Amino acid sequence: MTERILIPTDGSATAEVAVDKALELAELYDAEVLALYVVDTIAMDISLGTEQVERIRAGKFGEMEDLEDRARSATSRVAEKARERGLTAEEHFRGGRPHSVIADFAEDFDVDLIVMGSHGRSGVKRALLGSVTERVLRSTHRPVLVVDEREGEDDE
Ligand code: ATP
Ligand code: MN
């Protein structure tokens, strides 16, 4: 049974491609959708204190207004699209190393499927897979569906 589908998103157009695929599957299974944005402490080269991590978890970004905009627009796009299809969707925020946060989240919420993009915001096309996706594949035993960013483009 596929009851809960996790969609990690960094708000990039490439992550968006995975969202459409994920929602198509969610509709097919009548699954609940969990959208997750992780404040990426690796990419931003920051370290968050326990208190900040707790606040982000509660959706309180405080002075991190730019981040809040990015986070909310990323998850709300997923949630809105899901609701348009009549699906139940939740938005979640976390802070930390994205791949381990995503893998831990998948365990905590007992998700049946993780759907994510092959690439994300930094989009270094040389790499076959973005580092977050590659590390999630190595960190979880849950099924992961990776949607190639070129999905939907014309074949040439
Ligand atoms: P890299 O980060 O390795 O330079 P990239 O940005 O192109 O390359 P990834 O970061 O691995 O690639 O992104 C691949 C997918 O991982 C995204 O489509 C998204 O599904 C997920 N992802 C990446 N960063 C985050 C994040 N901060 N929060 C939630 N999901 C994320
Ligand atoms: Mn990235």
Side-chain angles (χ1 to χ4, degrees):
M1 282 273 276
T2 300
E3 293 174 352
R4 257 187 306 278
I5 298 181
L6 172 59
I7 309 179
T9 174
D10 62 357
S12 62
T14 42
E16 194 84 353
V17 180
V19 173
D20 293 329
K21 192 68 191 176
L23 294 181
E24 196 183 302
L25 293 173
E27 204 172 343
L28 192 65
Y29 292 119
D30 195 24
E32 180 186 5
V33 167
L34 304 176
L36 172 66
Y37 179 92
V38 184
V39 174
D40 187 340
T41 51
I42 304 182
M44 291 169 47
D45 197 20
I46 51 166
S47 68
L48 297 170
T50 326
E51 221 171 274
Q52 268 171 314
V53 167
E54 282 308 313
R55 267 193 269 133
I56 291 169
R57 188 185 278 263
K60 294 179 189 138
F61 288 77
E63 288 114 68
M64 298 187 285
E65 284 166 14
D66 291 352
L67 266 177
E68 173 157 15
D69 287 349
R70 187 184 294 179
R72 288 196 190 283
S73 67
T75 58
S76 65
R77 256 203 310 276
V78 178
E80 275 165 28
K81 279 188 172 182
R83 288 174 195 136
E84 277 169 19
R85 290 179 186 245
L87 297 162
T88 307
E90 286 180 6
E91 296 174 53
H92 293 270
F93 307 103
R94 294 289 186 273
R97 297 160 61 85
H99 69 278
S100 46
V101 171
I102 292 165
D104 289 349
F105 188 98
E107 290 308 308
D108 293 347
F109 284 78
D110 194 25
V111 308
D112 303 292
L113 178 65
I114 305 170
V115 183
M116 56 199 303
S118 59
H119 296 84
R121 185 163 278 274
S122 87
V124 180
K125 304 277 155 41
R126 272 175 287 115
L128 179 63
L129 282 180
S131 62
V132 174
T133 295
E134 186 180 340
R135 288 174 176 147
V136 167
L137 291 170
R138 293 181 199 278
S139 319
T140 186
H141 295 290
R142 307 252 165 192
V144 181
L145 174 64
V146 180
V147 182
D148 194 291
E149 57 165 348
R150 288 163 300 187
E151 166 86 19
E153 280 180 17
D154 291 336
D155 292 322
E156 272 176 315

